[in-house]
Amino acid sequence: MTISSAIKFAYWVPNVSGGLVVSNIEQRTDWSYDYNIRLAQTAEKNGFEYALTQIRFTAGYGAENQHESVSFSHALLAKTEKLKVIAAILPGPWKPALAAKQLATIDYLTQGRIAINVVSGWFRGEFDAIGEPWPEHDQRYVRSEEFIRTLKGIWTTDNYSFEGKYYQFHNYTLKPKPLQKPYIEVFQGGSSRAARDMAARVSDWYFTNGNSVAEIKKQIDDVRAKAKLENRQVKIGVNAFIIARDTEQEAHAVLNEIIAKANVEAVNAFGDATREAGAAAPEQEGNWAKSSFDDLVQYNDGFKTNLIGTPQQIAERIVALKQVGVDLILSGFLHFIEEVEYFGEKVLPLVRQLEQQQLSQVTAKSA
């Protein structure tokens, strides 16, 4: 098994208060800078290659405080050595000229360890609050696609010109360009048709919300078939809230307590906002389209991926996800630092063993 073929792991950076569940359960997770530095260093030592910072402009759904994503990502990079940090950016509040220069500088300062997650936007109330236009659903993806195309153009081309609906450039040259070649990695999320189509055309990575292996496979097959028509390849990341415990009973007891202590008002408010967002997609099949109240307690449908149980059970389910085309698990935890350590010690070695066993079987059959 080569390093490139091994499934990768990322974690959600808790730069937003309230942790990764909308619940009143005790969480030994904190949104402070000091906690996040310790977490980043812990994750780096325990096999995590990526971290994803969140972008929120307004309070709500149990997240009353938020650190800005790009500057927070740079702060984490300054205190780590190998971790790559993915900064979430919203087209609209960010313009591509600023984002391109800002990220190129961080890439230069951190020896090529910054990435970007382009978030097309799902929460209209946030855009209204900060006075940003709110295009209809598919137009938000048109804008995001132009945003990504212009970033790549600026990062790779001198005298760059672009004439789009949302962005225009005229003989613009950025120097210095990023250290990463050909350009800084571009991640993107979403589950709607427009999101998948955009990923196939311009993104390096496609993030999808948590789901069953069968439903995730449908999305992966769709994205990769469309990418093939564009002579492109797209890597896949899947959200998962991981509850690894010594016994299956312990793990499910934690899940049950999280849901039992859910912040009902906040979950329902989040559900109302997500239903509005889902209905905005022409096919009405965007993120959270089929999410129950229990699912929404973890706001990226992370419970659905079912990485909940013993280390062996979780390792086997991770490898099952890899078999349908998943390249990266984007992880959330209840008590981040201690659970990232437990994952690195107990789960990750089993994943690598199972990967090696599968590779040996394939090699034996082809011999």
Side-chain angles (χ1 to χ4, degrees), residues 3-163:
I3 293 174
S4 61
S5 68
I7 195 165
K8 300 179 186 297
F9 295 92
Y11 73 91
W12 280 98
V13 175
N15 59 304
V16 171
S17 64
L20 266 289
V21 290
V22 189
S23 176
N24 296 318
I25 191 172
E26 179 208 357
Q27 297 190 63
R28 294 186 291 278
T29 291
D30 189 68
W31 62 287
S32 69
Y33 174 66
D34 288 344
Y35 181 91
N36 272 282
I37 292 300
R38 288 190 290 120
L39 172 58
Q41 292 170 347
T42 300
E44 188 174 61
K45 293 175 183 176
N46 282 276
F48 285 77
E49 296 182 44
Y50 292 90
L52 174 64
T53 54
Q54 305 173 62
I55 181 59
R56 294 282 291 272
F57 281 94
T58 58
Y61 316 129
E64 297 307 310
N65 298 285
Q66 316 92 32
H67 291 301
E68 187 276 319
S69 57
V70 178
S71 52
F72 207 77
S73 296
H74 192 191
L76 297 182
L77 288 164
K79 297 292 186 179
T80 51
E81 297 177 357
K82 298 180 295 181
L83 193 70
K84 180 172 276 192
V85 183
I86 311 161
I89 289 184
L90 276 164
W94 270 275
K95 308 305 178 194
L98 171 61
K101 198 160 190 69
Q102 186 179 31
L103 292 161
T105 297
I106 296 173
D107 200 57
Y108 182 85
L109 295 175
T110 62
Q111 294 74 53
R113 292 191 293 124
I114 189 71
I116 179 175
N117 182 38
V118 177
V119 182
S120 295
W122 62 270
F123 181 26
R124 178 170 186 167
E126 188 167 59
F127 275 64
D128 289 345
I130 61 176
E132 281 290 334
W134 182 251
E136 59 89 13
H137 180 274
D138 282 10
Q139 281 300 306
R140 295 199 294 279
Y141 284 96
V142 171
R143 179 171 66 180
S144 290
E145 182 167 339
E146 286 190 11
F147 188 89
I148 293 170
R149 289 187 184 279
T150 55
L151 287 181
K152 290 182 176 181
I154 293 166
W155 286 334
T156 59
T157 308
D158 288 343
N159 302 311
Y160 177 70
S161 295
F162 180 86
E163 194 66 33

Side-chain angles (χ1 to χ4, degrees), residues 49-360:
E49 296 182 44
Y50 292 90
L52 174 64
T53 54
Q54 305 173 62
I55 181 59
R56 294 282 291 272
F57 281 94
T58 58
Y61 316 129
E64 297 307 310
N65 298 285
Q66 316 92 32
H67 291 301
E68 187 276 319
S69 57
V70 178
S71 52
F72 207 77
S73 296
H74 192 191
L76 297 182
L77 288 164
K79 297 292 186 179
T80 51
E81 297 177 357
K82 298 180 295 181
L83 193 70
K84 180 172 276 192
V85 183
I86 311 161
I89 289 184
L90 276 164
W94 270 275
K95 308 305 178 194
L98 171 61
K101 198 160 190 69
Q102 186 179 31
L103 292 161
T105 297
I106 296 173
D107 200 57
Y108 182 85
L109 295 175
T110 62
Q111 294 74 53
R113 292 191 293 124
I114 189 71
I116 179 175
N117 182 38
V118 177
V119 182
S120 295
W122 62 270
F123 181 26
R124 178 170 186 167
E126 188 167 59
F127 275 64
D128 289 345
I130 61 176
E132 281 290 334
W134 182 251
E136 59 89 13
H137 180 274
D138 282 10
Q139 281 300 306
R140 295 199 294 279
Y141 284 96
V142 171
R143 179 171 66 180
S144 290
E145 182 167 339
E146 286 190 11
F147 188 89
I148 293 170
R149 289 187 184 279
T150 55
L151 287 181
K152 290 182 176 181
I154 293 166
W155 286 334
T156 59
T157 308
D158 288 343
N159 302 311
Y160 177 70
S161 295
F162 180 86
E163 194 66 33
K165 178 176 181 179
Y166 293 97
Y167 306 113
Q168 297 80 38
F169 286 86
H170 309 287
N171 298 316
Y172 174 56
T173 297
L174 171 73
K175 289 187 178 180
K177 290 180 168 54
L179 292 181
Q180 294 182 70
K181 302 300 178 189
Y183 47 74
I184 292 166
E185 280 187 298
V186 177
F187 291 71
Q188 166 234 320
S191 295
S192 66
R193 175 201 48 77
R196 298 194 301 272
D197 290 356
M198 185 182 90
R201 289 190 294 265
V202 295
S203 299
D204 303 310
W205 286 84
Y206 171 71
F207 277 138
T208 185
N209 269 10
N211 216 320
S212 67
V213 173
E215 290 300 317
I216 289 168
K217 184 179 186 301
K218 289 179 185 177
Q219 290 193 54
I220 292 173
D221 290 347
D222 183 56
V223 170
R224 291 209 162 127
K226 290 171 177 174
K228 188 175 181 179
L229 296 175
E230 303 282 339
N231 294 314
R232 302 187 68 251
Q233 293 183 335
V234 180
K235 296 177 183 177
I236 307 295
V238 171
N239 273 287
F241 192 85
I242 299 175
I243 306 176
R245 298 294 187 272
D246 291 342
T247 68
E248 186 176 11
Q249 291 75 17
E250 288 177 270
H252 281 276
V254 173
L255 173 64
N256 293 337
E257 186 181 0
I258 291 171
I259 294 170
K261 294 182 177 178
N263 182 331
V264 175
E265 182 180 357
V267 174
N268 284 333
F270 178 57
D272 291 342
T274 59
R275 276 186 287 275
E276 180 182 345
E283 71 281 14
Q284 298 190 341
E285 285 289 330
N287 281 345
W288 310 289
K290 298 176 181 178
S291 300
S292 67
F293 177 93
D294 288 2
D295 296 328
L296 293 173
V297 175
Q298 203 294 306
Y299 46 74
N300 294 104
D301 279 341
F303 299 150
K304 284 185 179 182
T305 312
N306 195 28
L307 299 189
I308 299 164
T310 66
Q312 184 67 35
Q313 289 172 321
I314 292 171
E316 290 172 357
R317 291 166 190 165
I318 287 170
V319 173
L321 288 165
K322 180 183 177 181
Q323 286 181 304
V324 299
V326 173
D327 299 290
L328 178 147
I329 304 294
L330 176 55
S331 313
F333 299 91
L334 184 63
H335 310 302
F336 264 84
I337 289 178
E338 59 208 72
E339 295 194 35
V340 162
E341 287 181 328
Y342 185 93
F343 183 89
E345 293 172 5
K346 302 288 188 179
V347 181
L348 188 56
L350 296 175
V351 173
R352 299 302 182 223
Q353 287 175 21
L354 291 170
E355 287 179 314
Q356 189 60 54
Q357 288 172 14
Q358 286 191 344
L359 181 62
S360 298

